[in-house]
Amino acid sequence: MNQTLRYIGKKLLWTIPILLGITLLAFALGLIARGDPAVNRASADPDYIPTEEEIQALREELGLDDPVLIQYGRWLGGVLRGDLGRSLIDDKPVLDELLRLLPNTLLLSVLALAVIAAAGLLGGICLSLFRDSFLDVAGRVVLVFLMSVPGFCMAYFMIWLFAQKLRVLPTSGADGPENFIMPCLAVAIGSACVVIRLLRSSILGEMGKNYVLTAQAKGLRRGQIILRHVLRNALTPSVTYAANAFGGLLGGSMITESVFSIPGIGSYALTAISKRDYTAIQGYVLFTGFAFVLVCLLADLICAWLNPKIRLGG
Amino acid sequence: MKKKRVMFILALAVLLAFLFVGVAADLIAPWDPNAVDMANSLAGPSRAHWLGTDHLGRDLLSRLIYGSRSSVFIAFFATGCTLLVGMTIGLVSGWLGGWPDQLIQSVVNIFQGIPSTAFVVAVLGLLGPGMRSLLIAIVVSSWAGFSRIVRNQVLEVREQHYIEGARAMGAGGLYIVRRHILPNILLPLLVLIATRIGSTVLTVAAMSYLGLGLRAPASDWGIMINDAKLYYIRYFPVLLAPAACLTLFCLSINLIADYLRDRLDHDDGAARML
């Protein structure tokens, strides 16, 4: 128990410098942005050409003349208070906008994770249970093909099939649950295929171990051995991979959101980029980075729970 | 195993074919990829246009061929640059050990803390679209993963007895890295390099699709898919052709990586990485 707590504590402590580093990186990305944000904002109205004095005043208002470290400190202070700054274009608080758009992205990511987990577990166990049978061989051919189809090609193909030809699903928007079926599949299928393959190969890798021999000697059937003994040990790489995919999705899948016109974090970032809104881009990088790191931390803890060797091994 | 070998050779042939088509685009392409012919827009396959034309009447096959040039070449070049940066940093980190290693690894951790698509998009957004920005964005967002794996490999290899032997014979650090460590980590890295080329092609296509990658008149498969999104209902091949090329490319990369992974079948980081 003590060692477990120590493991969790260590993991948590290690996360802090990484999060700090991400704030630094997000800030630096903003710094190297091309163009002068003061000019950008002052010239947001295309019919009006700002004078040099107005630009200078705005620059002072935004604190762009201060030394870099002071700017970082001020920005970090804001971040810690939950203030990611205001959009340079429409002056709305970045965090509020991100939180407003989060539910759509969150829904999409959670649904995708559910698909990945369900398909991964089911597929991985089935294929390893019927190793080298027709199911396994054919299944692997399908998997390697499906994981090679890029997500956005899959998205368009599904729109063509389900929305244009069969007319069973809507093409775009985020009004109801039926709007999320295709986007969710588009982002989940590739990762699901990878997880199935990963799980299959790690289950088969475990099958050669001595404890499996023991279980066989006790007279357990192959299915029982896999479900009761092997699965828990074989799950870690798949959990890590799925968590990576989920963490990435939380940052908004820009392409899927833009193909299906879902207003989410990804489309927010795209708008920010097309308008050179560097506080918004900073906020976006920070937000996705934090989400990603925290999801990966959670995955590490789940792996340690699944496999005590990880937490006890030091 | 034999069947896998056949698949591997087939996949390699497909990959080389893409490369060849890219190199010889000027010779092979039957049309200028940007020659507009509005009278002939979205035309079906004919003797003049084997795959038909897109919404501006441009020859689809020629656009695919030139698209293969940009997509495949950027992917190879960007992966090469990433490999160079990541491997150098990983080698230094793993070889030096101690506090420099810790320092570099914390930087690596930070760079890995941001999902790569978000990272690429953010860098592209800040640098503006274009080929150069695309290269920078890809290298900046993916060197860290590479260097971590190289570093772990180095840590493993440097404990081997032959390294100790070389050192006992008076070999210098640089010599050992070049003659003993590099050749030993390169083979397991092949899998990683292969998968990286595949994912870079996808990144390039995705960014071009979003309008953050290449700019007209340059064109790649991502731009073709973007062009097709309003017209594929009238003539499906405008979407299918570039999508099929992307899929075929990734499929061959995945098959190559699978084969290499099986052959190397080390239970180490590089082989397990997908």
Side-chain angles (χ1 to χ4, degrees):
Chain A
M1 197 57 216
N2 211 352
Q3 246 167 331
T4 311
L5 281 179
R6 194 176 301 153
Y7 177 84
I8 295 175
K10 209 170 92 182
K11 278 280 165 200
L12 285 177
L13 276 180
W14 263 111
T15 309
I16 295 169
I18 295 177
L19 292 181
L20 260 180
I22 288 174
T23 64
L24 201 62
L25 198 60
F27 182 75
L29 278 176
L31 261 194
I32 58 168
R34 222 199 254 153
D36 188 335
V39 177
N40 287 350
R41 180 162 161 190
S43 51
D45 179 3
D47 296 329
Y48 177 72
I49 299 162
T51 63
E52 193 54 44
E53 287 81 42
E54 280 174 310
I55 291 177
Q56 190 52 41
L58 197 55
R59 209 176 271 147
E60 262 160 41
E61 185 201 316
L62 295 171
L64 298 173
D65 286 336
D66 293 333
V68 173
L69 262 181
I70 292 183
Q71 288 188 45
Y72 173 66
R74 192 167 47 213
W75 182 74
L76 185 62
V79 169
L80 292 178
R81 286 193 308 272
D83 171 19
L84 296 183
R86 283 167 178 280
S87 158
L88 292 175
I89 305 298
D90 56 13
D91 211 39
K92 287 184 186 155
V94 173
L95 187 67
D96 292 0
E97 284 295 288
L98 286 174
L99 290 178
R100 185 175 67 79
L101 295 168
L102 183 63
N104 282 335
T105 299
L106 196 63
L107 183 59
L108 180 59
S109 325
V110 170
L111 285 175
L113 181 65
V115 171
I116 294 171
L121 272 176
L122 200 68
I125 293 173
C126 278
L127 290 193
S128 51
L129 208 55
F130 302 108
R131 178 186 191 176
D132 292 331
S133 67
F134 175 74
L135 178 77
D136 183 33
V137 175
R140 276 185 301 161
V141 172
V142 173
L143 286 180
V144 79
F145 179 75
L146 275 184
M147 68 184 253
S148 305
V149 181
F152 58 130
C153 300
M154 190 74 87
Y156 275 117
F157 184 71
M158 284 195 292
I159 292 183
W160 177 75
L161 184 66
F162 294 120
Q164 311 288 350
K165 293 284 162 199
L166 303 175
R167 296 182 183 278
V168 285
L169 290 171
T171 46
S172 59
D175 313 316
E178 72 276 7
N179 284 99
F180 283 88
I181 297 176
M182 285 198 286
C184 158
L185 288 178
V187 293
I189 287 180
S191 305
C193 293
V194 175
V195 170
I196 295 177
R197 281 160 44 105
L198 258 181
L199 189 60
R200 174 187 175 276
S201 75
S202 47
I203 287 179
L204 293 180
E206 285 288 316
M207 291 304 277
K209 299 256 169 86
N210 283 335
Y211 71 88
V212 174
L213 199 65
T214 312
Q216 273 166 344
K218 285 198 309 190
L220 288 184
R221 267 171 302 156
R222 196 174 161 85
Q224 285 177 313
I225 296 177
I226 288 179
L227 284 179
R228 290 217 196 126
H229 299 282
V230 171
L231 191 58
R232 199 181 167 121
N233 291 319
L235 220 46
T236 26
S238 307
V239 169
T240 310
Y241 184 87
N244 259 292
F246 178 64
L249 285 178
L250 274 184
S253 27
M254 267 149 283
I255 297 207
T256 312
E257 284 177 13
S258 96
V259 170
F260 292 101
S261 335
I262 296 174
I265 307 272
S267 37
Y268 177 73
L270 279 181
T271 320
I273 280 162
S274 65
K275 294 189 173 144
R276 291 282 167 90
D277 185 350
Y278 94 134
T279 36
I281 298 178
Q282 263 178 346
Y284 166 73
V285 171
L286 195 71
F287 184 84
T288 50
F290 272 40
F292 189 68
V293 168
L294 293 177
V295 168
C296 289
L297 174 74
L298 199 63
D300 276 352
L301 296 181
I302 292 176
C303 288
W305 170 70
L306 281 171
N307 189 347
K309 260 191 279 179
I310 296 173
R311 66 187 128 103
L312 301 177
Chain B
M1 205 60 212
K2 197 157 179 216
K3 220 168 15 184
K4 282 214 157 160
R5 204 182 169 82
V6 174
M7 293 307 284
F8 169 71
I9 292 168
L10 263 177
L12 205 60
V14 170
L15 194 65
L16 289 176
F18 273 121
L19 271 174
F20 172 75
V21 165
V23 174
D26 297 317
L27 301 173
I28 302 176
W31 294 82
D32 174 353
N34 292 315
V36 175
D37 177 9
M38 289 306 285
N40 245 332
S41 67
L42 298 171
S46 63
R47 191 162 295 172
H49 302 282
W50 288 3
L51 294 179
T53 57
D54 72 356
H55 63 290
L56 295 176
R58 298 175 292 192
D59 182 46
L60 214 52
L61 180 64
S62 303
R63 287 184 69 71
L64 274 186
I65 291 172
Y66 276 91
S68 140
R69 168 177 280 183
S70 348
S71 294
V72 176
F73 275 74
I74 297 176
F76 271 85
F77 190 63
T79 311
C81 293
T82 315
L83 177 69
L84 213 64
V85 174
M87 197 153 79
T88 314
I89 295 175
L91 274 175
V92 168
S93 180
W95 181 249
L96 290 180
W99 70 263
D101 181 38
Q102 300 236 311
L103 186 72
I104 293 174
Q105 287 316 304
S106 24
V107 176
V108 166
N109 273 330
I110 292 164
F111 272 78
Q112 284 199 306
I114 297 176
S116 70
T117 331
F119 209 159
V120 171
V121 168
V123 173
L124 275 178
L126 297 172
L127 294 179
M131 176 108 95
R132 202 178 54 108
S133 321
L134 198 55
L135 278 177
I136 297 176
I138 290 171
V139 173
V140 165
S141 65
S142 55
W143 67 271
F146 236 115
S147 85
R148 149 147 319 153
I149 287 164
V150 170
R151 174 230 180 215
N152 291 344
Q153 295 266 314
V154 172
L155 284 186
E156 210 170 283
V157 171
R158 64 177 282 180
E159 300 305 322
Q160 306 287 327
H161 290 303
Y162 58 81
I163 302 288
E164 214 182 319
R167 203 178 276 150
M169 291 199 301
L174 210 60
Y175 177 85
I176 295 181
V177 168
R178 207 182 55 207
R179 287 302 298 271
H180 295 294
I181 292 191
L182 215 52
N184 274 304
I185 62 172
L186 219 48
L187 210 58
L189 273 185
L190 271 181
V191 181
L192 186 62
I193 294 170
T195 49
R196 236 345 120 63
I197 290 174
S199 62
T200 312
V201 162
L202 285 186
T203 310
V204 171
M207 293 306 125
S208 293
Y209 169 80
L210 291 174
L212 297 169
L214 297 180
R215 277 281 154 110
S219 175
D220 70 357
W221 299 330
I223 290 180
M224 290 179 71
I225 293 178
N226 192 15
D227 283 345
K229 67 184 174 193
L230 293 176
Y231 304 100
Y232 71 93
I233 295 163
R234 283 164 59 195
Y235 183 48
F236 196 55
V238 287
L239 177 72
L240 186 65
C245 278
L246 269 177
T247 305
L248 190 61
F249 186 87
C250 293
L251 184 62
S252 60
I253 287 280
N254 282 333
L255 289 173
I256 290 172
D258 273 1
Y259 178 76
L260 291 175
R261 200 178 289 126
D262 279 355
R263 281 298 299 267
L264 296 167
D265 208 15
H266 278 301
D267 195 35
D268 59 27
R272 249 190 291 122
M273 266 297 297
L274 276 147

